[in-house]
């Protein structure tokens, strides 16, 4: 059989590449004669830089030390391609796992802007920015402030960083905002959420960043205030990506919002790989209804359906019903018996999941 192993990263636990290797080990332990191809994926979140690097071997990997989402310094890796395109990943500079403790009101994206400035200073003429896995709900204002934007309250005082502070926003000063590069800015997003409202950045993704009901209401109102002054299109699908960072960069820096999963899948040649495959294995940290709205697994399910390829899904946890397009699904937490056990040795449980799927998806 021909098998394609194409997972996303398991956020904060294991990279897409390591997950693919573990799943393949498990499959081959039961069926050593099968043709197994590894094709780790990303959707704009964690692993985006690695996916580009694997597909584009001429890319130059660089690392810039920037302020993390709580201000502590972190090393953010990015790529400079031969055509002077820079590929950045918000998760590297402003991701949720970088926080010492959740800070839904004060966490920020300043590090992403610092990484973007470093890329521009290095001669980048175009930016591709993966947006996903963010720690904050600041509308991208932290990134824009690192690029020269100034935000003031009605007394002319500069606002502190973080999404909650936007509730007091009275004036935007773009005088010193660095111009976007001549080749433009492309945002790779993993959601279709608008900026605000019941399906927006604060309401849907705030809880995973530590926001309670009062926090979500405050952040949603703060983002509305920002949108009132910044203009643009807060209702555009994907504007709510990365705590509204997609909206902020689109409104004030002219960035374009594009689906990350399909863009990266095309880059790595997913369609061609599936065309001759019998089975594809994919996975992510948590599989639920949001997986089908722009993330790797949902995008891959669509591609596999078009190719007539059976799909096995592995997830740390499975929340909610599994769609009929999935032939078999495995939860690492169920295999390991507890969340802590699954997280303590993800490679072991991914290998077991790979072997289990090899039995469920084949006749021998």
């Amino acid at each position: 059989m021909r098998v394609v192993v194409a997972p996303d990263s398991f956020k904060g636990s294991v990279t897409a590449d390591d997950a693919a290797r573990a799943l393949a080990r498990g499959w081959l332990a039961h069926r050593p004669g099968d043709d197994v191809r590894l094709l780790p994926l990303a959707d704009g979140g964690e692993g985006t830089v690695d996916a580009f690097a694997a597909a584009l071997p001429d890319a130059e990997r660089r690392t810039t030390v920037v302020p993390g989402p709580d201000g502590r310094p972190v090393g953010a890796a990015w790529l400079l391609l031969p055509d002077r395109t820079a590929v950045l990943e918000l998760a590297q500079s402003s991701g949720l796992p970088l926080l010492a403790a959740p800070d839904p009101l004060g966490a920020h994206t300043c590090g992403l802007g610092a990484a973007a400035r470093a890329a521009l200073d290095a001669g980048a003429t175009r930016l591709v920015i993966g947006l996903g896995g963010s720690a904050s709900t600041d509308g991208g204002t932290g990134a824009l402030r690192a690029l020269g934007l100034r935000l003031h309250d009605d007394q002319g005082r500069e606002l502190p960083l973080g999404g909650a502070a936007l509730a007091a926003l009275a004036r935007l000063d773009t005088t010193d905002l660095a111009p976007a590069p001549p080749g433009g800015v492309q945002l790779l997003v993993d959601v279709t959420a608008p900026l605000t409202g019941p399906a927006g950045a604060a309401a849907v993704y705030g809880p995973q960043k530590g926001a309670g009901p009062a926090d979500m209401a405050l952040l949603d109102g703060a983002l509305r205030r920002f949108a009132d002054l910044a203009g643009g299109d807060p209702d555009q699908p994907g504007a709510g990506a990365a705590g509204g960072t997609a909206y902020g960069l689109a409104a004030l820096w002219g960035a374009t919002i594009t689906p990350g999963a399909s863009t990266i899948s095309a880059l790595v040649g997913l369609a061609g790989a599936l065309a001759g495959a019998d089975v594809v294995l994919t996975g992510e940290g948590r599989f639920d209804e949001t997986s089908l709205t722009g993330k790797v697994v949902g995008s891959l399910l669509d591609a596999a359906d078009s190719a007539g390829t059976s799909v096995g899904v592995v997830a740390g946890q499975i929340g909610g019903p599994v769609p009929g397009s999935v032939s078999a699904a495995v939860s690492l937490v169920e295999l390991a018996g507890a969340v802590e056990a699954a997280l303590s040795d993800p490679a072991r449980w991914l290998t077991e999941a790979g072997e289990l799927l090899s039995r469920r998806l084949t006749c021998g």
Side-chain angles (χ1 to χ4, degrees), residues 123-260:
T125 57
R126 176 174 176 260
L127 299 181
V128 175
I129 305 177
L131 298 183
S134 70
S136 64
T137 309
D138 74 347
T141 53
L144 289 162
R145 291 172 74 164
L147 292 162
L149 177 69
R150 295 292 174 259
L151 305 178
H152 299 99
D153 65 15
D154 59 6
Q155 301 298 311
R157 297 169 298 199
E158 191 154 358
L159 297 181
L161 291 165
L166 299 175
L169 180 62
R171 186 170 64 89
L172 300 173
D173 182 357
T174 61
T175 304
D176 296 324
L177 180 62
V185 180
Q186 180 183 12
L187 308 177
L188 305 181
V189 305
D190 61 353
V191 300
T192 57
L195 179 66
T196 60
V204 176
Y205 303 103
Q208 68 190 33
K209 303 173 187 181
D215 298 328
M216 289 186 284
L218 172 60
L219 289 167
D220 190 68
L223 291 175
R224 288 182 187 277
R225 180 60 181 159
F226 176 44
D228 287 342
L229 294 176
D233 183 6
D235 295 325
Q236 180 181 359
T245 298
Y247 164 76
L249 294 179
L252 293 177
W253 225 29
T256 59
I257 299 174
T258 56

Side-chain angles (χ1 to χ4, degrees), residues 11-353:
K11 187 181 300 182
S13 174
V14 62
T15 67
D17 183 63
D18 287 343
R21 293 178 188 278
L23 288 168
R25 278 196 304 273
W27 185 282
L28 290 169
H30 177 229
R31 296 180 57 91
D34 284 350
D35 176 9
V36 178
R37 177 179 176 183
L38 307 188
L39 203 69
L41 297 175
D43 52 21
E46 189 177 89
T48 295
V49 164
D50 289 340
F52 271 82
L56 302 169
D58 290 337
E60 178 185 344
R61 184 182 289 264
R62 300 192 179 189
T63 299
T64 301
V65 177
V66 300
D70 56 9
R72 295 179 303 152
V74 299
W78 54 279
L79 303 177
L80 187 62
L81 310 186
D83 68 355
R84 312 308 291 176
T85 294
V87 180
L88 287 72
E89 177 185 314
L90 178 143
Q92 296 259 357
S93 59
S94 311
L96 186 58
L98 300 176
L99 284 176
D103 185 8
L105 302 183
H108 56 77
T109 54
C110 183
L112 175 63
R117 187 179 282 278
L120 296 176
D121 289 345
T125 57
R126 176 174 176 260
L127 299 181
V128 175
I129 305 177
L131 298 183
S134 70
S136 64
T137 309
D138 74 347
T141 53
L144 289 162
R145 291 172 74 164
L147 292 162
L149 177 69
R150 295 292 174 259
L151 305 178
H152 299 99
D153 65 15
D154 59 6
Q155 301 298 311
R157 297 169 298 199
E158 191 154 358
L159 297 181
L161 291 165
L166 299 175
L169 180 62
R171 186 170 64 89
L172 300 173
D173 182 357
T174 61
T175 304
D176 296 324
L177 180 62
V185 180
Q186 180 183 12
L187 308 177
L188 305 181
V189 305
D190 61 353
V191 300
T192 57
L195 179 66
T196 60
V204 176
Y205 303 103
Q208 68 190 33
K209 303 173 187 181
D215 298 328
M216 289 186 284
L218 172 60
L219 289 167
D220 190 68
L223 291 175
R224 288 182 187 277
R225 180 60 181 159
F226 176 44
D228 287 342
L229 294 176
D233 183 6
D235 295 325
Q236 180 181 359
T245 298
Y247 164 76
L249 294 179
L252 293 177
W253 225 29
T256 59
I257 299 174
T258 56
S262 58
T263 300
I264 294 172
S265 293
L267 176 75
V268 303
L270 177 65
L274 292 182
D278 300 294
V279 172
V280 59
L281 306 184
T282 189
E284 61 184 341
R286 179 179 174 82
F287 181 79
D288 56 28
E289 64 277 4
T290 67
S291 301
L292 308 178
T293 58
K295 295 184 180 293
V296 161
V297 175
S299 178
L300 189 140
L301 286 174
D302 292 340
D305 183 61
S306 298
T309 307
S310 297
V311 181
V313 170
V314 179
Q317 293 179 295
I318 297 176
V322 176
S325 53
V326 176
S327 300
V330 177
S331 162
L332 300 186
V333 169
E334 290 184 8
L335 273 184
V339 172
E340 294 77 11
L343 288 173
S344 67
D345 194 359
R348 171 191 171 185
W349 301 110
L350 282 162
T351 301
E352 290 204 16

